[in-house]
Amino acid sequence: MQDVVVIGGGLAGLVSSLELARAGFNVTLIERKTYPFHKVCGEYVSNEVRPYIESLGVDLDALSAATITQFQLSSPSGRTLSSALDLGGFGISRYTLDYELYQFGLAAGVQFVLGQQVEAVAFTNSNTFTITLSNGQLLHSRLVIGAYGKRSKLDKTLDRAFMDKSSPYIGVKYHVAPGPLSEPFPNDLIALHNFKDGYCGMSAVENGRYCLCYLTTRDNLRQFGNIPDMERAILWKNPHLRHVFETYNFLYDKPEVINEISFAPKQAIENHILMAGDSAGLITPLCGNGMAMAIHGAKVVSELSLRFLQNELSRSDLERLYETRWKALFARRLWVGRTVQRLFGDERLSELAVSAFGLYKPALRGVMRQTHGKVIAVTQPT
C-alpha cells in the first residue's frame, strides 16, 4: 500500500510527488516515457512561481534559464506591437527542468515506474485505490493524483465529459538556433505570431536555443497533407515566421506533435482522483502560462494531500477544499484564455485585435494580468 500514486511525470506530477516524498510519505510516480524527454510546450514560465520553484532547490541561473521581460504580438500580415511584461518570467526547456525535478525526486525517495501507462483506476470499498498498469501490475494507494497532461487514455476510461467532444487543435514544437543569416532574436522577448487558424510562440530557453511552438487546426494539416507543406503554405505568410523557418537551424529530426488538444472545461476531481496541471484544465497557449499553473497547482494539491495523509482532513473535506481552491486560482484564467483565443487565428479578427491593442496598450497588459497570478509567497523554514 502506497500513500500516494501520481499518474504522470510532468511538472505537476514531479512537484507534487517531490513535496509529498520530502514530507516522509511513500510516493510512486508512473510515467509512460523515460527521462529526459521533450514535450509539446511553450517553455515560458511566469515569475509567479519562480520563488517557489527555487525554494524546492532548482537553481534556474545554474540551468541557464533565460530572463524574459518583453512581449511582442504580430498579426498574420506581420504588423507588430510590443509591451513590457509586468511580472515577467523565464524560459527553460521541459527537457532540462523536468529532468532536474526528476533527479530531486529520486533523491527524496520517490519510486518511479517509467515506460508504463495506467490502464484503469478503481476506488474501492476500503476507501483506497487500485491502479492497473499496462504491464498488468496492480498498485494500491491511499491517494491518487492525476497529472498526466492534456489528454490520456485514462480520460476515456474515466468517461470524462470533454472526451466526447472532438477538438480541432494540434500542437507542434521545435527547438531552433540562429543560423548565419538569422536576425538576432532578443533573449528577453517572448513573441506571439499569428497566422490563419493558429498562432506560434517563440522565446529563448537555455544554451542559446529557442522554443518555437505553435497551435493550429487539423483542417490546415489535412489540406496540405504533411507538416512541412502546411508550414510553407500557412505559417510562412507571416513574414516573421517565414524568416525563422528560412534562416534558423531546426534542432529536431522531426517536431514534437500532439493531437486533439482540448480547451474545454474539466473537473478538478474525477472518481476521487485529484487532477493537477493540464489534467485539471488547459489554458490556451497564447496566454503562455501553462507551466506556471501546473507548478502552482502542484503546490496546492500537495499541501492539501499532506493534511489528508496526516489525518487532518477527511476525503470529502480534501476534495471540497481542493476543488474550491483550484477554481479560485485558475477558473477565471482559463475562461479569459478561451475568450481571448477567439480573437486570434481568424485572419481578419487577428488584424483587428492587433490594431486595437496597439491603439490602447493598457488593454493588452490588462488581458495579460488576467491570465497570470500573484507571486507565490514562500515561507522559509526556521
Side-chain angles (χ1 to χ4, degrees), residues 266-282:
K266 301 177 182 178
Q267 297 297 317
I269 299 168
E270 294 279 5
N271 192 31
H272 303 287
I273 301 170
L274 306 181
M275 298 296 180
D278 290 346
S279 301
L282 179 61

Side-chain angles (χ1 to χ4, degrees), residues 12-30:
L14 287 164
V15 169
S16 56
S17 64
L18 176 62
E19 288 276 46
L20 293 169
R22 284 178 173 175
F25 292 98
N26 296 320
V27 181
T28 294
L29 186 150
I30 304 156

Side-chain angles (χ1 to χ4, degrees), residues 126-187:
S126 59
N127 201 32
T128 60
F129 295 89
T130 297
I131 301 97
T132 305
L133 303 187
S134 50
N135 63 359
Q137 182 182 359
L138 298 181
L139 299 177
H140 305 279
S141 177
R142 295 171 61 192
L143 192 65
V144 172
I145 297 174
Y148 46 79
K150 301 172 180 64
R151 191 178 185 89
S152 168
K153 182 179 180 181
L154 185 59
D155 288 320
K156 191 68 175 177
T157 304
L158 293 171
D159 195 26
R160 302 188 76 187
F162 76 93
M163 292 292 286
D164 295 331
K165 301 173 184 176
S166 178
S167 172
Y169 297 111
I170 62 171
V172 180
K173 175 196 151 181
Y174 301 94
H175 278 171
V176 300
L181 300 178
S182 301
E183 294 178 0
F185 188 95
N187 281 354

Side-chain angles (χ1 to χ4, degrees), residues 212-233:
L212 189 76
C213 190
Y214 66 84
L215 183 82
T216 189
T217 62
R218 288 198 310 273
D219 286 343
N220 268 351
L221 180 57
R222 192 178 296 118
Q223 182 181 355
F224 297 96
N226 59 73
I227 286 175
D229 286 347
M230 177 193 69
E231 290 169 344
R232 281 189 288 269

